[in-house]
PDB file of all heavy atoms in Angstrom:
ATOM      1  N   THR A 247      74.643 -81.528 143.370  1.00 97.00           N
ATOM      2  CA  THR A 247      73.990 -82.164 142.229  1.00 97.00           C
ATOM      3  C   THR A 247      74.384 -81.553 140.886  1.00 97.00           C
ATOM      4  O   THR A 247      74.020 -82.094 139.839  1.00 97.00           O
ATOM      5  CB  THR A 247      72.467 -82.080 142.375  1.00 97.00           C
ATOM      6  OG1 THR A 247      72.083 -80.700 142.493  1.00 97.00           O
ATOM      7  CG2 THR A 247      71.997 -82.848 143.601  1.00 97.00           C
ATOM      8  N   GLY A 248      75.123 -80.442 140.905  1.00 93.00           N
ATOM      9  CA  GLY A 248      75.493 -79.799 139.658  1.00 93.00           C
ATOM     10  C   GLY A 248      74.265 -79.457 138.832  1.00 93.00           C
ATOM     11  O   GLY A 248      73.247 -78.998 139.337  1.00 93.00           O
ATOM     12  N   GLU A 249      74.356 -79.721 137.523  1.00 94.00           N
ATOM     13  CA  GLU A 249      73.226 -79.476 136.627  1.00 94.00           C
ATOM     14  C   GLU A 249      72.394 -80.731 136.412  1.00 94.00           C
ATOM     15  O   GLU A 249      71.464 -80.730 135.602  1.00 94.00           O
ATOM     16  CB  GLU A 249      73.744 -78.966 135.269  1.00 94.00           C
ATOM     17  CG  GLU A 249      74.512 -77.660 135.352  1.00 94.00           C
ATOM     18  CD  GLU A 249      73.660 -76.529 135.888  1.00 94.00           C
ATOM     19  OE1 GLU A 249      72.480 -76.419 135.474  1.00 94.00           O
ATOM     20  OE2 GLU A 249      74.159 -75.751 136.716  1.00 94.00           O
ATOM     21  N   VAL A 250      72.704 -81.819 137.135  1.00 98.00           N
ATOM     22  CA  VAL A 250      72.030 -83.090 136.901  1.00 98.00           C
ATOM     23  C   VAL A 250      70.625 -83.106 137.491  1.00 98.00           C
ATOM     24  O   VAL A 250      69.698 -83.648 136.889  1.00 98.00           O
ATOM     25  CB  VAL A 250      72.874 -84.254 137.464  1.00 98.00           C
ATOM     26  CG1 VAL A 250      72.104 -85.569 137.457  1.00 98.00           C
ATOM     27  CG2 VAL A 250      74.163 -84.397 136.663  1.00 98.00           C
ATOM     28  N   LEU A 251      70.446 -82.518 138.677  1.00 97.00           N
ATOM     29  CA  LEU A 251      69.151 -82.582 139.357  1.00 97.00           C
ATOM     30  C   LEU A 251      68.976 -81.337 140.212  1.00 97.00           C
ATOM     31  O   LEU A 251      69.926 -80.867 140.845  1.00 97.00           O
ATOM     32  CB  LEU A 251      69.093 -83.834 140.241  1.00 97.00           C
ATOM     33  CG  LEU A 251      67.703 -84.324 140.659  1.00 97.00           C
ATOM     34  CD1 LEU A 251      66.945 -84.847 139.444  1.00 97.00           C
ATOM     35  CD2 LEU A 251      67.815 -85.428 141.701  1.00 97.00           C
ATOM     36  N   HIS A 252      67.758 -80.833 140.236  1.00 95.00           N
ATOM     37  CA  HIS A 252      67.484 -79.667 141.075  1.00 95.00           C
ATOM     38  C   HIS A 252      67.567 -80.074 142.543  1.00 95.00           C
ATOM     39  O   HIS A 252      67.087 -81.156 142.915  1.00 95.00           O
ATOM     40  CB  HIS A 252      66.098 -79.105 140.765  1.00 95.00           C
ATOM     41  CG  HIS A 252      65.864 -77.745 141.332  1.00 95.00           C
ATOM     42  ND1 HIS A 252      65.593 -77.530 142.669  1.00 95.00           N
ATOM     43  CD2 HIS A 252      65.885 -76.515 140.752  1.00 95.00           C
ATOM     44  CE1 HIS A 252      65.451 -76.239 142.885  1.00 95.00           C
ATOM     45  NE2 HIS A 252      65.615 -75.597 141.740  1.00 95.00           N
ATOM     46  N   PRO A 253      68.163 -79.253 143.398  1.00 92.00           N
ATOM     47  CA  PRO A 253      68.266 -79.608 144.825  1.00 92.00           C
ATOM     48  C   PRO A 253      66.928 -79.911 145.483  1.00 92.00           C
ATOM     49  O   PRO A 253      66.850 -80.766 146.366  1.00 92.00           O
ATOM     50  CB  PRO A 253      68.924 -78.369 145.444  1.00 92.00           C
ATOM     51  CG  PRO A 253      69.708 -77.751 144.331  1.00 92.00           C
ATOM     52  CD  PRO A 253      68.895 -78.008 143.093  1.00 92.00           C
ATOM     53  N   ASP A 254      65.861 -79.225 145.060  1.00 87.00           N
ATOM     54  CA  ASP A 254      64.542 -79.513 145.628  1.00 87.00           C
ATOM     55  C   ASP A 254      64.096 -80.935 145.292  1.00 87.00           C
ATOM     56  O   ASP A 254      63.436 -81.608 146.096  1.00 87.00           O
ATOM     57  CB  ASP A 254      63.502 -78.523 145.114  1.00 87.00           C
ATOM     58  CG  ASP A 254      63.667 -77.135 145.697  1.00 87.00           C
ATOM     59  OD1 ASP A 254      64.513 -76.964 146.598  1.00 87.00           O
ATOM     60  OD2 ASP A 254      62.965 -76.211 145.244  1.00 87.00           O
ATOM     61  N   THR A 255      64.448 -81.409 144.107  1.00 95.00           N
ATOM     62  CA  THR A 255      64.086 -82.769 143.711  1.00 95.00           C
ATOM     63  C   THR A 255      64.860 -83.786 144.535  1.00 95.00           C
ATOM     64  O   THR A 255      64.305 -84.802 144.980  1.00 95.00           O
ATOM     65  CB  THR A 255      64.334 -82.974 142.212  1.00 95.00           C
ATOM     66  OG1 THR A 255      63.583 -82.010 141.474  1.00 95.00           O
ATOM     67  CG2 THR A 255      63.937 -84.371 141.775  1.00 95.00           C
ATOM     68  N   LEU A 256      66.151 -83.532 144.754  1.00 97.00           N
ATOM     69  CA  LEU A 256      66.925 -84.418 145.619  1.00 97.00           C
ATOM     70  C   LEU A 256      66.338 -84.446 147.020  1.00 97.00           C
ATOM     71  O   LEU A 256      66.213 -85.514 147.634  1.00 97.00           O
ATOM     72  CB  LEU A 256      68.387 -83.962 145.671  1.00 97.00           C
ATOM     73  CG  LEU A 256      69.277 -84.732 146.644  1.00 97.00           C
ATOM     74  CD1 LEU A 256      69.373 -86.202 146.264  1.00 97.00           C
ATOM     75  CD2 LEU A 256      70.668 -84.099 146.713  1.00 97.00           C
ATOM     76  N   ASP A 257      65.951 -83.291 147.528  1.00 92.00           N
ATOM     77  CA  ASP A 257      65.333 -83.232 148.853  1.00 92.00           C
ATOM     78  C   ASP A 257      64.063 -84.077 148.895  1.00 92.00           C
ATOM     79  O   ASP A 257      63.793 -84.773 149.881  1.00 92.00           O
ATOM     80  CB  ASP A 257      65.023 -81.778 149.208  1.00 92.00           C
ATOM     81  CG  ASP A 257      64.597 -81.614 150.654  1.00 92.00           C
ATOM     82  OD1 ASP A 257      65.359 -82.009 151.540  1.00 92.00           O
ATOM     83  OD2 ASP A 257      63.497 -81.094 150.893  1.00 92.00           O
TER      84      ASP A 257
END
Side-chain angles (χ1 to χ4, degrees):
T247 58
E249 299 299 317
V250 170
L251 200 68
H252 194 283
D254 288 353
T255 302
L256 175 62
D257 190 57

